[in-house]
């Protein structure tokens, strides 16, 4: 554990320290989890103020007693039964996306998996599970652009005109969301229907800002992180000699392998907490209000927990002990959905395209934000 002067954050990397923090939300608060990491310019603030941009405490950043109610909504939508029931739908979506990949390969000789199947499948699956597919009037390209801009604006350090341009995209996204959640009589069984019927602990219904904040977070968290996970898995699998062919011949080997990639290369590399009172952690005194950066990617390499952590060992006894989805009250609600999507996407792609290979041997451009790291491109060809 150390204090980083550049970011003003306490860096926590030991597995047991991170685990104990995540399991103690009363003393290590999630209130700063989705705060912007830098100060916005006056011009950027004006852009956001025009649309009354606001992300009140709802899910990832909520330490109040309202969190449990929001969490129940997500649990109903993403419980094990719902995930299992959605497998045929996911397989259909993946098959359609693979049709598109094959067309691109036939026409151009190459295809970027990061901006096609890895991006489009999580979007389509998320929108269908949330019951939003028929309610939206924008395409996936627009949603992806808005989501990308939001991630960079809040978890990057853009400056000048770049920051303002990103703010305009985030403001357009938020404005669209406020219109979406204001629609009358949303359909029962959907996210919008659940939000319309939800009541806060004091009995009050949710306002537009609270509904918009939930959908804003769910679209970004439910899609972007899964896209990053799939892009990372594609690149790792195609780089390792013989592995892709093994997946094609033995599809049951995919799921345990993806679990190990989650441990080594999680889609969310870090997450934030803030001390609610003076705390002592591993002998270090932390004042109240100390901002913490939990190094999730480092916990998967902790030699006190994982033997030979640098090696991918799909059948290690504690293969699911990693903290890539968090733990405790704020554990990722979509963890099982992400696992299922990874398994379906990887095994179906390998089965359909067993001769797939990377067409560019150089290191790809990377998404490199405070909490997110993944290849921005996975160029492939057949051969």
């Amino acid at each position: 554990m150390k204090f980083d002067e550049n970011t003003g954050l306490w860096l926590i990397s030991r597995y047991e320290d991170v685990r104990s923090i995540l399991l103690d939300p009363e003393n290590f608060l999630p209130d700063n989890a989705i705060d912007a990491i830098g100060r916005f310019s006056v011009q950027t603030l004006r852009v956001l103020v025009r649309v009354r941009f606001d992300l009140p405490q709802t899910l990832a950043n909520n330490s109040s007693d309202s969190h449990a109610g929001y969490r129940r909504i997500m649990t109903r939508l993403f419980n094990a039964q719902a995930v299992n029931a959605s497998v045929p739908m996911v397989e259909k979506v993946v098959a359609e996306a693979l049709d598109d990949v094959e067309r691109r390969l036939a026409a151009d000789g190459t295809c970027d998996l990061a901006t096609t199947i890895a991006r489009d499948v999580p979007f389509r699956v998320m929108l269908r599970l949330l019951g939003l597919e028929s309610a939206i009037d924008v395409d996936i390209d627009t949603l992806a652009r808005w989501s990308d801009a939001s991630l960079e604006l809040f978890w990057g350090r853009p400056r000048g005109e770049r920051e303002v341009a990103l703010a305009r995209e985030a403001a357009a996204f938020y404005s669209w969301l406020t219109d979406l959640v204001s629609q009358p009589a949303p359909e029962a069984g959907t996210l919008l229907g659940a939000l319309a019927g939800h009541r806060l602990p004091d009995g009050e219904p949710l306002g537009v800002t609270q509904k918009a904040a939930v959908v804003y977070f769910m679209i970004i968290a439910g899609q972007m992180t899964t896209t990053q996970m799939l892009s990372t898995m594609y690149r790792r699998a195609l780089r390792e000699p013989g592995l892709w062919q093994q997946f094609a011949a033995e599809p049951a080997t995919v799921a345990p392998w993806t679990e190990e990639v989650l441990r080594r290369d999680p889609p969310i590399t870090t997450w934030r907490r803030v001390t609610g009172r003076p705390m002592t952690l591993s002998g270090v005194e932390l004042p109240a209000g100390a901002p913490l950066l939990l190094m999730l990617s480092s916990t998967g390499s902790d030699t006190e927990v994982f033997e030979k952590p640098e090696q991918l060992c799909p059948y290690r006894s504690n293969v699911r002990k990693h903290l890539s989805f968090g733990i405790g009250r704020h554990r990722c609600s979509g963890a099982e959905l992400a696992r299922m999507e990874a398994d379906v996407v990887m095994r179906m792609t390998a089965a359909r395209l067993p001769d797939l290979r990377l067409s560019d041997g150089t290191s790809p451009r990377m998404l490199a934000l405070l909490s997110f790291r993944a290849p921005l491109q996975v160029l492939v060809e057949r051969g």
Side-chain angles (χ1 to χ4, degrees), residues 23-217:
L23 289 174
D24 187 5
E26 303 298 331
N27 292 309
F28 298 97
L29 309 177
D31 299 28
N32 64 338
I34 60 176
D35 289 351
I37 66 170
R39 292 195 174 197
F40 291 149
S41 68
V42 172
Q43 192 175 356
T44 293
L45 291 172
R46 285 173 179 163
V47 170
L48 298 176
V49 167
R50 285 191 201 108
V51 296
R52 298 181 180 179
F53 193 102
D54 186 17
L55 296 178
Q57 290 186 329
T58 54
L59 290 163
N61 62 338
N62 193 351
S63 61
S64 75
D65 57 357
S66 67
H67 176 263
Y70 289 114
R71 179 80 179 186
R72 282 193 293 272
I73 294 175
M74 298 304 113
T75 300
R76 286 194 293 270
L77 291 168
F78 299 118
N79 61 35
Q81 183 178 359
V83 170
N84 290 335
S86 69
V87 170
M89 178 270 287
V90 174
E91 291 176 336
K92 184 174 184 297
V93 170
V94 174
E96 292 169 352
L98 283 170
D99 290 342
D100 178 57
V101 168
E102 285 199 283
R103 284 192 294 268
R104 291 171 185 261
L105 287 169
D108 304 326
T110 63
C111 178
D112 181 8
L113 299 183
T115 57
T116 54
I117 187 169
R119 184 198 70 172
D120 294 354
V121 167
F123 256 127
R124 291 173 181 165
V125 169
M126 180 60 58
L127 293 176
R128 291 184 186 183
L129 284 178
L130 296 179
L132 293 176
E133 190 174 40
S134 61
I136 67 171
D137 57 358
V138 295
D139 56 26
I140 287 178
D141 288 341
T142 301
L143 286 174
R145 188 181 72 249
W146 285 343
S147 298
D148 287 340
S150 297
L151 280 188
E152 185 179 346
L153 181 64
F154 284 95
W155 279 276
R157 290 186 179 274
R159 291 292 183 266
E161 285 302 315
R162 177 65 178 172
E163 180 185 284
V164 177
L166 294 171
R168 291 193 183 107
E169 295 286 3
F173 190 13
Y174 187 80
S175 181
W176 175 80
L177 282 171
T178 57
D179 289 341
L180 178 68
V181 301
S182 299
Q183 294 179 5
E187 185 179 346
T190 66
L191 175 59
L192 296 183
L195 293 175
H198 186 65
R199 295 295 179 268
L200 295 168
D202 61 4
E204 288 295 311
L206 299 181
V208 170
T209 57
Q210 291 150 322
K211 294 177 187 177
V214 171
V215 184
Y216 188 89
F217 179 77

Side-chain angles (χ1 to χ4, degrees), residues 15-28:
Y15 179 97
E16 288 302 330
D17 287 340
V18 172
R19 185 176 186 275
S20 66
I21 289 170
L22 292 174
L23 289 174
D24 187 5
E26 303 298 331
N27 292 309
F28 298 97

Side-chain angles (χ1 to χ4, degrees), residues 2-11 37-38 157 159 370:
K2 66 177 182 178
F3 181 74
D4 182 46
E5 296 283 351
N6 292 326
T7 62
L9 297 166
W10 287 90
L11 309 184
I37 66 170
R157 290 186 179 274
R159 291 292 183 266
L370 178 69

Side-chain angles (χ1 to χ4, degrees), residues 246-291:
Q246 178 185 330
F247 286 169
E250 303 175 64
T253 61
V254 171
W257 178 85
T258 61
E259 202 68 41
E260 275 287 87
V261 177
L262 283 167
R263 174 183 66 81
R264 286 289 291 172
D265 291 307
I268 297 180
T269 57
T270 68
W271 209 237
R272 282 173 287 172
R273 287 292 185 268
V274 59
T275 52
R277 64 180 183 84
M279 296 294 297
T280 301
L281 186 69
S282 290
V284 176
E285 300 292 332
L286 298 172

